[in-house]
Every structure is written in structure tokens, then in C-alpha cells.
Amino acid sequence: MTKLLALLVAVLLVAPVGAAHAGRSADAGGSGGSVVEVRGAPATSLETTEKPLDGKVIVIDPGHQLGNHNFPEKINRLVPAGGFRKECNTTGTATNGGYPEATFTWRVSKLLQARLEHLGAKVRLTRVANREDRWGPCVDARGRAGNKVHADAKISIHGDGSYTAGAHGFHVIAPTDRRPWTHDIYRTSKRLALDTRAALKGRGLTVANYIAGGNGLDFRSDLATLNLSDVPTVMVELGNMRNAGDAHRMTRPAGRATYAAALAAAVRRFVG
Ligand code: ZN
């Protein structure tokens, strides 16, 4: 009885294998080649869409360093800013509850880095820690950060600190055409700014109601971070940290994830 069962099992196991082999042979003998190609094509294109930023280099500049306020002599010293000199850096702002801009920009930057690396990009950050015992880098180093690595884009992440009543929303700052400093990048930077604004709006974020023009875009010639770049660059003020509604979003993981997702979409749109 046991032997008979074993034999039955053996037959049942062998039969489907044989059938499968027969099936494959039939494919190979007929349109097998094309079947293999058709099966291969979607897999290849799927791999490509999984790493759309493969080979791209993105520089993320998380605004300020947490410890800047502990090093006033260092951050007040003047550095080249693109035909003039400017303070190395500032302390940055904070929410009314004391959540620092440096921590906000650091956390959004790390989330953005993870997203971009997942999409295949090489990511460089202008600072590698968020600490009270560190300062800088200065704005000239931040401005040049994408140049040597030939970055495809450089994004500086900030939070604003306007005390104007009711001031809220994000805005994107791009360089003006300022020869010889930004003449090579102002057009592509404007395109990056438009992509960034579209991506942020696409995530339901509203443009700043306190910046001239009211369209979420600002063009400036006084920022070393933009002036010294030889690669397309923008600075984003993701919200007004002094506004209760913006602060609510900026101090929560879900809010920061929204900003990071939008910025990743902007990069993808721009370099893709
Ligand atoms: Zn800032």
C-alpha cells in the first residue's frame, strides 16, 4: 500500500514536469525567440524606471549648522559672495516653540537624500552633522559645493522667519542673471525653480503670501549660495517657521516627509 502510494506520488510529480518541458519545447520550436524577448523587455524597462536618477549627482545644502550661534566670530567673518563679501553664515531662525531651522533643514535633507539615492542618484551634502559643537560651512563653500562634482542640480533647503502677521507658505529663490557669476546657470536654475514650485504645489503646499509677486518665486543677486554655483541651483524657503500653521507642518515627521517627497519629485522632473 505504501509502495503503491509512493508510485502514485512519483507519477503525479513527474507528469507535470514532463508537460512543462513539452510546453517549453513547443515555445522554443515555434515563436520561442520572440517570446523570450517580449518577456525580457518589460523587466529591463522596469529596472530603468526604478533607478531614473542613475548616474546623476545631486548636492543638497541643509541651511545653517545647529551650532552656528556658538561661534559668532567664525560665522560673522566675511567671505566671497560673487563680486562682494558677505558674512560666512547666520544662525538661522526657529519656530516660536524653539524648533531650530538647522534641525528642520537637516531632517528634510536626510529624507530627501534617502529618496534620491533610492532613485539611483549620488548625493552630496554640504554638512554631515547637525550639532551644537559645529559651525558652517560658509556660504561661499555652500555656493561652490556642486562645482567640482559636476552636480546635475544643487538645492539649498531653508525655513524662513518672517514676523509679518499671517505670513505663510513656501517660496523658491533662483539667481538673477549676474555676469560673470550666474550668467551660465540662471536659465537652467529658473527651470529648476519652476519644477520645484510645481512639485511643492503638487503636494498641496501653498506659495508664500508675503513675497513680492505672490507666485512663490523670487530672483536674487545677493546670495553667495546661488552666485558661486556653476551648476543649476535654487534655494527653497519651505515655510515660515514663525507662522503657526507652517510650524505645525515643519515640526512633524509627516510634514517633513511631504517636503522631501516634493523636492525629490522636483529633482526627478528637472534632471529627467
Ligand atoms: Zn535659512
Side-chain angles (χ1 to χ4, degrees):
M1 195 61 182
T2 310
K3 274 181 186 172
L4 189 63
L5 262 177
L7 187 67
L8 268 170
V9 168
V11 167
L12 284 170
L13 281 174
V14 168
V17 172
H21 269 295
R24 273 191 214 132
S25 300
D27 282 350
S31 55
S34 62
V35 166
V36 169
E37 276 175 28
V38 167
R39 280 176 185 164
T44 306
S45 62
L46 193 65
E47 277 168 25
T48 308
T49 52
E50 278 173 356
K51 300 288 180 194
L53 300 183
D54 199 24
K56 304 295 183 185
V57 179
I58 309 299
V59 170
I60 304 172
D61 175 35
H64 316 284
Q65 171 61 276
L66 188 60
N68 276 2
H69 64 101
N70 294 318
F71 300 88
E73 73 292 343
K74 303 259 190 207
I75 65 162
N76 288 335
R77 114 188 125 85
L78 299 180
V79 297
F84 60 100
R85 292 168 79 77
K86 202 167 179 177
E87 290 80 9
C88 158
N89 214 297
T90 65
T91 59
T93 187
T95 66
N96 290 339
Y99 183 81
E101 178 186 357
T103 299
F104 168 71
T105 65
W106 174 251
R107 290 186 176 160
V108 171
S109 294
K110 293 302 285 181
L111 291 173
L112 177 59
Q113 176 184 18
R115 283 181 171 272
L116 294 176
E117 286 178 346
H118 184 72
L119 294 170
K122 275 200 172 70
V123 176
R124 298 282 178 272
L125 266 62
T126 57
R127 60 180 171 113
V128 295
N130 188 57
R131 292 168 54 140
E132 285 284 357
D133 61 351
R134 300 275 173 88
W135 62 275
C138 296
V139 286
D140 56 333
R142 291 173 188 266
R144 296 189 185 104
N147 300 357
K148 271 188 189 159
V149 295
H150 304 290
D152 294 279
K154 177 170 76 77
I155 296 189
S156 286
I157 298 174
H158 285 256
D160 211 355
S162 171
Y163 286 97
T164 303
H168 71 272
F170 76 85
H171 67 282
V172 187
I173 308 166
T176 57
D177 178 10
R178 191 158 177 278
R179 291 172 188 268
W181 304 98
T182 58
H183 187 66
D184 51 341
I185 57 146
Y186 83 96
R187 288 188 190 85
T188 48
S189 296
K190 183 182 179 182
R191 192 162 65 76
L192 176 58
L194 292 170
D195 287 341
T196 303
R197 180 181 66 174
L200 288 164
K201 284 175 83 170
R203 296 277 168 169
L205 299 160
T206 53
V207 300
N209 63 349
Y210 63 99
I211 301 297
N215 61 2
L217 294 179
D218 195 11
F219 297 91
R220 288 175 60 170
S221 60
D222 63 325
L223 297 171
T225 300
L226 302 179
N227 287 345
L228 299 180
S229 182
D230 294 332
V231 303
T233 188
V234 293
M235 181 183 288
V236 286
E237 298 282 3
L238 287 173
N240 180 16
M241 301 194 81
R242 296 293 171 182
N243 174 264
D246 283 0
H248 183 87
R249 184 183 295 107
M250 297 167 102
T251 52
R252 278 162 179 75
R256 292 190 294 268
T258 299
Y259 291 121
L263 295 176
V267 170
R268 196 170 168 173
R269 186 192 286 234
F270 177 73
V271 304

